Amino acid sequence: MLDHTHDAGTLSWVASANDPSTDFPLQNLPFCSFRRAGSLEPFRVGVGIGDQILDLTGWGIADLNALMARPSSERRALRHRLFDTLKVGAPEVELLPQVQVEYTLPCRIGDYTDFYTGIHHARAVGKLFRPDNPLLPNYQWVPIGYHGRSSSIVVSGTPLRRPKGQVKPPDAEAPVFKASARVDCELELGLFVGPGNALGEPFGIDEADEHAFGLTLLNDWSARDIQPWEYQPLGPFLAKNFGTTISPWIVTMEALAPFRIPFTRPEGDPQPLPYLDSPAHRANASFDIELEVWFKTPAMIEPTRLSRSNLRHAYWSLAQMLTHHASNGCNLQPGDLLGTGTISGPEQAEAGSLLELTLGGKQPITLPNGEQRTFVLDGDQLGLRAFAEKPGFRRIGFGACDGVITPAS
């Protein structure tokens, strides 16, 4: 899966793309939808390179969903053309500085499914909600997920209002309808579907990569005081669908090829059923991608990092998410979004939510300026970051996924 577009020694004529700290070197080439800031012009498909954007209008690419529907061979061919256009020695073409643009969602998101692949998060949250039975018996056998609300997915930088819902304190006889006091983040990646499958026609685990277009950062905001009352028995509802923030950038699976690692299960754990398993899948279905949570209050000048985790901690792979989703004949479509669920590591410093970091709100976090937080207050900004790096390859970043909570309506 590696080719000349992963060669770390090839530089770009775009100077900022050669900075070792950039998210978008020549070897990345992520997609977005953008327009000039403050204009009324239509949004266009672009590719990030350093601190610039290449407009793909002149390339005949006006609809990212249509590109996502193409076979992976055609997408790789486009990547090769982009690489050759932007590498040192190629004639320079017009670019637009990223600071001069505004973004919208990178594509049309028809459906959104949120999985629950982070086993360390599942255990930690399970201990808070179900101390005697933190990990339900199906978790290690079937990829758990639920269908979310695509209409409330917003692009990075979009403010979200504090949600209201039914809350029932443990000692209360009846619930009350009120603004959530326990708004939380969830550190996730989102997988965008490429070519879909026809209704009633599932695909095998070794075909899953053909249906994966790329990854984006995803914060599936949660109202932790609404969630435990309403999630019984059907699962998440209003505690989750008030807003989901994603990065404006989609990093393609081709760009992430150098960071694939073997998929393994801890010794003694159940192995996946045959439809979710194969030698090829075990060889390279996981990814080594660092994930971070950053936090900034209105009184802080700079954000501070709260935690760092890694996608390698996911109990189920991206390919297994795709394969299981379609295994009953469900028809996935180009642009559908599949969230990984919160990806926490085994240590407290690797927690992907405030719920875990504060032990259910019992242990406040002390920030560098002395302020304390258990959950998100109005005006607080949460940011997610992600990157993949490996000796011999360029660092691949995912851009920003930032959101701020504003007062309830």
Side-chain angles (χ1 to χ4, degrees):
M1 290 181 284
L2 301 182
D3 57 34
H4 70 282
T5 65
H6 302 104
D7 179 11
T10 305
L11 301 179
S12 172
W13 53 262
V14 183
S16 59
N18 302 323
D19 185 336
S21 65
T22 184
D23 272 3
F24 304 147
L26 178 62
Q27 293 73 13
N28 191 347
L29 305 175
F31 291 94
C32 69
S33 291
F34 76 99
R35 68 183 179 190
R36 295 178 189 273
S39 74
L40 296 178
E41 61 191 25
F43 285 97
R44 305 190 294 277
V45 179
V47 164
I49 177 70
D51 59 4
Q52 306 288 309
I53 295 178
L54 173 63
D55 187 347
L56 294 186
T57 302
W59 292 54
I61 300 174
D63 185 294
L64 190 55
N65 290 74
L67 174 63
M68 299 165 94
R70 297 179 185 176
S72 59
S73 58
E74 294 187 26
R75 303 198 306 264
R76 284 194 298 272
L78 173 61
R79 175 179 168 85
H80 292 175
R81 287 179 57 204
L82 291 166
F83 188 90
D84 292 342
T85 297
L86 295 166
K87 69 181 181 182
V88 163
E92 296 188 10
V93 296
E94 183 179 1
L95 302 174
L96 190 63
Q98 293 175 20
V99 294
Q100 296 180 14
V101 310
E102 60 187 24
Y103 302 98
T104 188
L105 297 175
C107 65
R108 296 185 307 280
I109 303 173
D111 285 298
Y112 166 48
T113 302
D114 196 33
F115 280 85
Y116 200 41
T117 69
I119 193 169
H120 301 293
H121 174 74
R123 284 196 173 115
V125 173
K127 288 178 182 178
L128 296 172
F129 288 174
R130 301 177 302 275
D132 298 331
N133 190 25
L135 196 67
L136 294 175
N138 63 349
Y139 187 89
Q140 294 174 297
W141 291 101
V142 58
I144 303 299
Y146 73 97
H147 291 296
R149 182 79 180 172
S150 61
S151 62
S152 55
I153 298 175
V154 298
V155 72
S156 175
T158 305
L160 286 172
R161 283 189 169 181
R162 181 174 299 275
K164 293 180 179 179
Q166 286 196 24
V167 176
K168 185 181 181 298
D171 56 349
E173 292 185 2
V176 294
F177 184 76
K178 57 180 287 189
S180 171
R182 294 163 68 94
V183 173
D184 196 0
C185 68
E186 292 199 338
L187 176 59
E188 305 190 29
L189 286 173
L191 170 64
F192 277 104
V193 175
N197 59 296
L199 181 65
E201 297 185 9
F203 48 82
I205 187 71
D206 290 336
E207 301 172 279
D209 283 342
E210 180 63 29
H211 299 274
F213 180 77
L215 300 180
T216 189
L217 271 167
L218 186 151
N219 179 3
D220 197 28
W221 299 88
S222 299
R224 300 299 188 186
D225 44 0
I226 298 173
Q227 186 173 352
W229 172 240
E230 71 168 11
Y231 91 115
Q232 308 172 69
L234 296 182
F237 187 35
L238 301 185
K240 306 286 290 182
N241 67 9
F242 65 94
T244 300
T245 302
I246 67 171
S247 165
W249 301 96
I250 303 178
V251 177
T252 65
M253 305 310 295
E254 289 76 23
L256 295 169
F259 309 102
R260 287 178 174 265
I261 56 177
F263 171 84
T264 59
R265 279 283 173 82
E267 186 176 352
D269 278 17
Q271 294 304 308
L273 294 180
Y275 79 103
L276 295 175
D277 196 11
S278 77
H281 177 266
R282 293 191 182 208
N284 69 358
S286 291
F287 289 84
D288 184 4
I289 300 175
E290 295 287 333
L291 308 169
E292 298 178 338
V293 178
W294 290 75
F295 196 87
K296 181 180 180 296
T297 74
M300 295 170 62
I301 298 175
E302 297 291 337
T304 186
R305 191 178 72 193
L306 296 185
S307 68
R308 174 185 273 188
S309 184
N310 193 294
L311 186 60
R312 66 166 67 232
H313 296 308
Y315 197 75
W316 296 96
S317 72
L318 301 173
Q320 288 170 327
M321 288 164 48
L322 280 164
T323 303
H324 181 68
H325 203 314
S327 64
N328 67 343
C330 174
N331 51 325
L332 302 177
Q333 302 177 87
D336 283 355
L337 181 62
L338 279 56
T340 60
T342 307
I343 303 299
S344 300
E347 305 298 328
Q348 181 76 0
E350 299 173 293
S353 69
L354 296 175
L355 184 70
E356 298 166 83
L357 287 169
T358 66
L359 302 180
K362 298 175 182 178
Q363 183 176 301
I365 297 168
T366 300
L367 301 170
N369 66 347
E371 290 183 279
Q372 290 189 325
R373 290 291 189 273
T374 50
F375 294 97
V376 182
L377 298 184
D378 292 343
D380 289 345
Q381 177 177 298
L382 262 160
L384 307 184
R385 300 292 183 271
F387 59 91
E389 55 185 4
K390 177 181 179 181
F393 295 93
R394 287 299 303 272
R395 175 185 183 275
I396 302 297
F398 284 72
C401 179
D402 296 333
V404 62
I405 296 297
T406 61
S409 60

